[in-house]
Amino acid sequence: MTWLITGGAGYIGAHVARAMTDAGERVLVLDDLSAGVPARLPARVPLVQGSSLDAALLKRVCAEHGVTGVVHLAARKQVAESVAQPTRYYRENVGGLVTLLEAVAEAGVRRLVFSSSAAVYGNPDVDLITEETACAPVNPYGETKLAGEWLVRAAGRAHGISTVCLRYFNVAGAAAPELADTGVFNIVPMVFDRLTRGEAPRIFGDDYPTPDGTCVRDYIHVADLAEAHLAAARRLSGNAEHAAVGDLTVNIGRGEGVSVRELITVIAEVSGDRRTPVVEARRPGDAPRAVASAARAAEVLGWTARRGVREMVESAWQGWLLHHGG
């Protein structure tokens, strides 16, 4: 097996590349380096700089490297940006996937793991989100991920490609400081950024119907997420008895809810900065609760998250200090 990881020099992608390589899988990475960092990759992993929108490049890479499976992570992923630039998100996220699937089908690749998102669900009013929960995305980013799943399944049926769609919940942490998220778009680095600038963390709404009034989310350590990709890849490449047939769709979360206030308390303990959070108005579209059912992942992938919220925050903080000083 040779696995092509698109977007493999990004925050999540580099963790996936390292986890698969450490487990003995043969890996190469395609990344346009718009957000990726080559230094994140193990030295023995080949890096091809380019876009999943480049059909000729994809065909050449599949042929020259004998690609037999693909883990597709390359995509734009900022919700607010997707609202402001919906055509860009559809062009890159959906258009890039169309181009990739055409190249994969032509090359005879028969295994594909697709990076999806809990954003496909929108804001369901349920205690635990299962894979059968209705999908109703509330922003263009979530729409592109849902459309991506449709494309992956349709191409799989048409071309005999076995597929797994992984619906990530809220990703945090780092397997090593140098692999940490360098962006300030998710809640953990957003709080770190506020503290570093001498400002109090912000809580958007404390009057939700939750135990402490703040939103509840399911947080997953990026190292656990990377191991889920390895499990999915091996599910597709196993022997006839265990290999996946057709398609699978799997939530990747811990199945446990943590409120925004609880998360900020852990960040205060880890960072030593205990300034009182500032409560601001609710943000439009924030669901009171979004927690995964993790049962299917355990059943079909043999995977369960092993790391808790404190480990996520501690590892993310070490990465933040490395990249931002402190």
Side-chain angles (χ1 to χ4, degrees), residues 261-319:
R261 193 175 292 280
E262 289 171 333
L263 181 65
I264 290 176
T265 297
V266 175
I267 292 173
E269 293 169 355
V270 169
S271 68
D273 191 323
R274 299 176 181 273
R275 70 189 73 213
T276 302
V278 174
V279 176
E280 299 185 3
R282 292 185 182 191
R283 295 182 301 189
D286 275 351
R289 176 180 172 87
V291 179
S293 167
R296 181 177 291 181
E299 177 186 350
V300 303
L301 299 182
W303 171 90
T304 303
R306 298 185 292 116
R307 300 163 180 87
V309 170
R310 179 169 289 273
E311 189 170 349
M312 294 179 215
V313 172
E314 288 175 345
S315 62
W317 181 241
Q318 291 304 310

Side-chain angles (χ1 to χ4, degrees), residues 184-198:
V184 187
F185 303 107
N186 300 318
I187 184 170
V188 172
M190 286 173 68
V191 174
F192 290 166
D193 183 56
R194 297 277 295 184
L195 297 179
T196 300
R197 291 188 283 112

Side-chain angles (χ1 to χ4, degrees), residues 40-211:
R40 286 173 168 152
L41 294 172
R44 60 192 180 277
V45 173
L47 169 64
V48 178
Q49 184 172 351
S51 168
S52 55
L53 288 161
D54 187 337
L57 176 63
L58 288 171
K59 292 175 184 178
R60 187 168 67 251
V61 167
C62 286
E64 291 179 357
H65 293 271
V67 172
T68 50
V70 174
V71 180
H72 182 54
L73 295 106
R76 303 202 68 82
K77 62 177 186 176
Q78 303 307 327
V79 169
E81 184 182 60
S82 80
V83 174
Q85 303 179 46
T87 55
R88 181 183 189 186
Y89 268 65
Y90 273 86
R91 180 177 64 252
E92 296 193 23
N93 291 7
V94 181
L97 179 58
V98 169
T99 306
L100 175 69
L101 288 169
E102 289 173 342
V104 162
E106 183 176 321
V109 176
R110 293 293 178 260
R111 302 165 184 86
L112 186 139
V113 180
F114 176 61
S115 165
S116 189
S117 168
V120 301
Y121 295 114
N123 297 329
D125 185 16
V126 294
D127 286 338
L128 284 179
I129 297 173
T130 73
E131 290 82 358
E132 282 71 42
T133 300
C135 291
V138 296
N139 53 64
Y141 167 67
E143 292 167 4
T144 65
K145 286 299 183 181
L146 183 55
E149 290 189 9
W150 294 340
L151 274 170
V152 163
R153 296 186 194 110
R157 290 190 295 270
H159 302 292
I161 304 168
S162 294
T163 64
V164 180
C165 295
L166 300 180
R167 292 173 173 171
Y168 310 168
F169 279 66
N170 297 266
V171 185
E178 64 271 18
L179 297 183
D181 190 0
T182 55
V184 187
F185 303 107
N186 300 318
I187 184 170
V188 172
M190 286 173 68
V191 174
F192 290 166
D193 183 56
R194 297 277 295 184
L195 297 179
T196 300
R197 291 188 283 112
E199 300 174 3
R202 293 186 293 180
I203 292 176
F204 296 100
D206 65 352
D207 57 350
Y208 286 94
T210 60

